[in-house]
Amino acid sequence: MNPLPLLAALFVVPVAVALVAADAAKRGLSRQTRCRWSAGVGVVSLGGFVASAALDGALVTAYNALLGRPIVVVTPLQLLTGLVLVGLAVSALAVLIYGVASRYGPLAAT
């Protein structure tokens, strides 16, 4: 298990939660709704980083298989960058899902 994605999570997860909380407060959502959306985005974001740290070898294999490249030696910098980018992508996706679902989806707050 690689600890670098978990270290990056210490900085990224609070930013994602703060973005959601600030937007929900600006839109005037109830306190309970703000807390639920913020906690949900935080859990999903943290889960992306934890999964990235725990599945580091499998992610590299899947990445190479998706690109159709032969599995070759990956430099440590490429591995670490890829692992952190997976966590960042999951965090960005969680914030994007909040933005769309809280405004237009079936979970839209009234």
Side-chain angles (χ1 to χ4, degrees), residues 44-73:
V44 170
S45 180
L46 183 62
F49 282 101
V50 169
S52 175
L55 302 173
D56 57 351
L59 288 175
V60 171
T61 304
Y63 175 73
N64 285 329
L66 284 174
L67 292 181
R69 294 190 298 185
I71 298 175
V72 294
V73 176

Side-chain angles (χ1 to χ4, degrees), residues 77-102:
L77 181 60
Q78 287 175 329
L79 176 66
L80 295 177
T81 303
L83 295 178
V84 171
L85 285 177
V86 167
L88 285 172
V90 170
S91 297
L93 184 63
V95 172
L96 181 67
I97 287 172
Y98 154 75
V100 172
S102 69

